[in-house]
Amino acid sequence: MTSPFRPTSSARFRAPRATVLVAAGAVLLTGACSVGGSTADAPGDEVRIALPEEPPTLEPCDASLTATGRVTRSNITEPLTEREPTTGELGPKLATEWEQTAPTSWTFTLREGVSFHDGSAFTAEDAAFSIDRTVSSDIGCNVDGYVFGDSELTTNVVNDTTLEVATAESDPILPLRLSFVEIVPAETDAEAKVREPSGTGPYRIETWDQGVSLRLARFDDYWGTAPPFAAARYVWRGEGSIRAAMVTSGEADVAVGLAPADGAGDRAVEYPNNETSYLRIDATKAPLDDIRVRRAINYALDKEGLVASVFSGLGEPAAQVVPEGVTGHNPDIEPWPYDMAKAKELIQQARADGVAVDTAITIIGRNGIYPKAAEAMEVAQNSLLEAGLKVDIQMLDVNAWMEYLLRPFPSDAGPTLLQAQHGNQAGDAAFTMGQIYGSEGAQSSYGTPDLDRLIEQAELASGPDRQEKFTEALAYQNDEVVRDAVLAHMTGIIALSPQVTYEPNSATNDEMRLAEMRPAN
Amino acid sequence: MLTFLRRRIVSSAIPLLVVILGVFFLARLTGNPANLYLPLSATPEMRAEFAARNGFDQPIIVQFGDYLAQLSRLDFGESLRTAQPAAEAVLQAFPATLQLAGVTMLLAVVGAVVVGSLAAYRPNSAADRGASFLSATAASVPDFWFAIMGVLLFSVTLGWLPTSGTVGAAAWVLPVATLLIRPFGVLVQVVRGAMVSALSAPYIKVARSKGAGDQRVIFGHALRNAAAPALTVAGDLAVGLLNGAVVVETIFGWPGIGKLMIDSILQRDFAVLQAAVLLTALTIFALNILIDVCYALLDARVRQGVAA
Amino acid sequence: MTNSPTTPPGKVSMLSLLARDRVASTAAVVLVLIGACAVVGPMLLGDLAVEQNLRAVNLPPFSIGAGWEFVLGSDSLGRSVAARLVVAAGTTMSVAVPAVLLSLTVGSIWGMWAGFHRGRRESVSMRIADVILSFPSLLLAVVVLYVFTPSVANIIAVLAVARIPIYLRTARAESAELQSRLFVDAARTFGTGSWATIRRHVFPTVLPTLLTVAAVDFCFVMLTESSLSFLGIGIQPPDMSWGLMVAQGRQELQTAWWIAVFPGLAIIGTTVSAAMLAAWARMAGDPGQRWRLTLPRRGRGKITARKGVA
């Protein structure tokens, strides 16, 4: 069951497929008894982790997918550079240092004495291969779309420990972008994705019993400090209350992705998870094309009440989608105050000026985007009705909701408010502003030329100037564009058994470092 | 009997084609999967590339032709989500569901025949009323309640059973119990009803006049006659378990085909969905053929019994 | 079929028969009450059911001093669970009753026709049923979501189509069995038309089993409706149904059990009442069984037993 299927050409596994069919038929007929592998209870030096879903693949170039990255990143494979979630600093990993040698060129000095799980040694060749495979190949890497977009990179191997990377245009945050490129050996398939990669990380894949469990074991030749646990076993349970129960009953040591009502009790650990919830206002359609109506929506929403009731007191009323700790965060923007009287007044003014405030607005919600998503939208609807707008709710599943989230938007939709949530994994506002607020951004329903210009200038700046310019763009958005009603910075919950100590941080959702988990005693 | 079987199998071929055709086209009416598999910031070029890589840029008829050609080579395509062959994913998941459903149906049928017959033995008595009430309740309890409450009580509070997973016999108790209640409840109702009718039918009087004992009357002639509706309903319930063990599979982390199928619908993972539906359809067709054979056997015996 | 000499047929006697039976009459009263809630509830309590009070969330049932509206507690937005239960009865019934009736009617007529004629008509019908059963109903639901606009009629259609094969197969099985019996043969020989024969001879025999199945199908339809809401084609907030309440309360089963438990009990109560009434109707409608219902309540079991042996 552990055979890694490396899809290269369809000719290669036509025969095995038929074999699989026959073998499975035999299994069905004889009624093989045990489902999946059966193993004895976990030994003490294994950490047992309950995930909400099985990783679809462990392919490192798809590690920007939460379910994959949570297992692969920093555990199985490592990048050249690594962002410390607690400080926001970019630190060395497989590269020890780097510098910008020209506006479009960077030189990385690589770590020596590093070997891959398959035994081969790590060299600049591998690094160049991994970058090319992720950014320039045809295999459709998720990381490519997430981090690099249109931009192309050229790699040049100077010697075993020196790598040059060139960009088409000046890119001040290239080292940060490269922190998403996980390094695999040059022997890895360049034409297709691999489900079970080799890497340089502190853990290697031991067994993946599909559908049942995944076990990682400590990599003995790891270049850094050996991690405390000898092994990690992942299982997946779709139901939050079951994951919590597994920790309270001693079947698991770590349960991730819990909601306040899942009953983890005093085993629960809360942490800011880097996500910000907001309502995206479709400002191209009446009555939402009137800025007074958009401001009224912001005044009408009681963010503190929402956090206190629906989010069980977890989370914090938010002013902007870029949270603290991310380059570009503007500490001077305050959350819009709850002021129903002002909201009503603004709506009245708009009505008096002939704005079609009686047009029904639809809240497009997504079930499960965060705990109690539907309830949160019912609270918003209630407030907006009180302010004098007409509002319906439509709760959708992910794919139907995405039709509204991403361009091109459904043409027959009326004015909408979209329930959305944004998490900036990378730590730089460049990963937020263009796509969310740019006139042409993939997730942007509305932008202005002025805002576009501010964003563009900020993206090309570096150092303190970069921070300054993003701050300016955010303030302008908040005051003059008002494209969003930002709700709250969200809080995540994990449960920990008494046997394990681990401190979750803002990156835990996307990258859960096993090396940071240690036995309690 | 063999001619019957052969005719029955041949007559299932066209419906099976309809299923293949239907799933293929219906699935493609559920929206473009590109959004789900590309990062939110994907450029139009990436979308075009994704479509080309997966053949979605072809006219749908061409796509269907390609699919049929693949099928004829026993190639079921590749999962968008996991890049695994779809057949592998489906065949890995199916035995888990089949075993769970098999154990559950066995227990449900045996339990329901016993309880239903006992209830019908004295219609309208306290025992009958109690059985009817309890079985109707069992049939309507929301399954996730039962599952989560069971976990909280037996795993968290008492610590007798594991919360979830598939390792060891104890892990089967809660999933089977959760899956069992509804079919059991429905079947008790059906068996009881059919038995009440059967017990008042003329041929039972014939059997009685021949001096057959109470037990033999009930479990012999009446049950045989009551078996027809029970068999149909049991078959439909078994089909429901194959397609609908989603809640149990999700809650207990059971690696079965119900959850795989739902996930592949929600994730627009067409190849896996098609392979999964094809396999369950084959099973459903086979099950129905089996039921028809049972009917034929039953029918012969009932007639024999009446004639005797 | 023979007429029972003890009870003359007629509506009045059915009602008095019902009144004699404590369990069945309770079930009938419950169903009438739910029907009444469904009709007048939204008018009386419609506003209260959506009134949020974020300072009184998750009040447990019977909270003293919180007011009568919180007798069954409040939900996570501080709305009265009692008022929501009553109002939700309307939406729930307007989906469940048509869905069950539609699948019952179409499925059973089709099934009786198929079973009565046997041959090609029967096998084609059965293969159609196989095809429908082979499709995951969720797939149909998602297709409806993408191709049509979401509406109550669409939910009913999806639920009904998914359930038709159940009645079709059950009706077919019984009617095919009857078709070979003497009395149906006789009717046919005397030149009775096939629909008339079905109506007069097949329908009364097949109906009891179908009613039994339909009664327990209520809960299935009510719970399935809630999973459709999650896809975006079911009942959408602020409208409410029992299924949706159960689904929303699911997240809080451990912290505020009453949010999911009361609507769940409503679903169970409705289903059990329908099942008990169906069991009674089955007996009352069967001339060979009706005498059991006319017996004095005490000692009924014994007499039955003796009769059974005799």
Side-chain angles (χ1 to χ4, degrees), chain B residues 14 38 115 129 133 150 156 201 224 300:
Chain B
I14 291 174
L38 294 174
V115 175
R129 287 293 168 87
F133 183 82
V156 177
R224 233 177 258 161

Side-chain angles (χ1 to χ4, degrees), chain B residues 173-244:
Chain B
V173 176
L174 285 174
V176 168
T178 309
L179 212 49
L180 180 73
I181 46 170
R182 188 180 140 79
F184 174 74
V186 176
L187 275 178
V188 167
Q189 298 268 320
V190 172
V191 169
R192 179 206 163 269
M195 284 295 279
V196 169
S197 300
L199 279 170
S200 66
Y203 63 90
I204 294 291
K205 288 184 184 131
V206 175
R208 280 176 190 151
S209 69
K210 289 197 297 185
D214 248 3
Q215 300 297 322
R216 276 203 54 197
V217 171
I218 291 180
F219 288 104
H221 296 286
L223 195 57
R224 233 177 258 161
N225 201 246
L231 198 60
T232 318
V233 175
D236 291 339
L237 289 166
V239 167
L241 291 189
L242 288 180
N243 273 335

Side-chain angles (χ1 to χ4, degrees), chain B residues 45-95:
Chain B
E45 295 79 62
M46 284 176 184
R47 282 165 203 282
E49 198 187 300
F50 175 84
R53 195 167 49 241
N54 294 293
F56 297 142
D57 55 343
Q58 303 286 322
I60 187 144
I61 294 297
V62 176
Q63 290 184 43
F64 186 63
D66 289 349
Y67 173 61
L68 286 186
Q70 274 184 10
L71 271 189
S72 66
R73 301 191 304 259
L74 279 184
D75 176 350
F76 293 86
E78 204 167 84
S79 162
L80 286 175
R81 218 170 86 78
T82 66
Q84 248 185 326
E88 194 179 318
V90 167
L91 289 176
Q92 228 162 36
F94 198 53

Side-chain angles (χ1 to χ4, degrees), chain A residues 4-25:
Chain A
F5 237 98
R6 296 189 174 189
T8 46
S9 72
S10 62
R12 218 174 103 186
F13 43 69
R14 209 165 290 145
R17 219 172 259 168
T19 327
V20 167
L21 206 66
V22 172

Side-chain angles (χ1 to χ4, degrees), chain C residues 60-63 67-73 80 82 262:
Chain C
F62 315 113
S63 293
W68 65 269
E69 65 266 39
F70 294 122
V71 59
L72 297 183
S80 155
F262 288 123

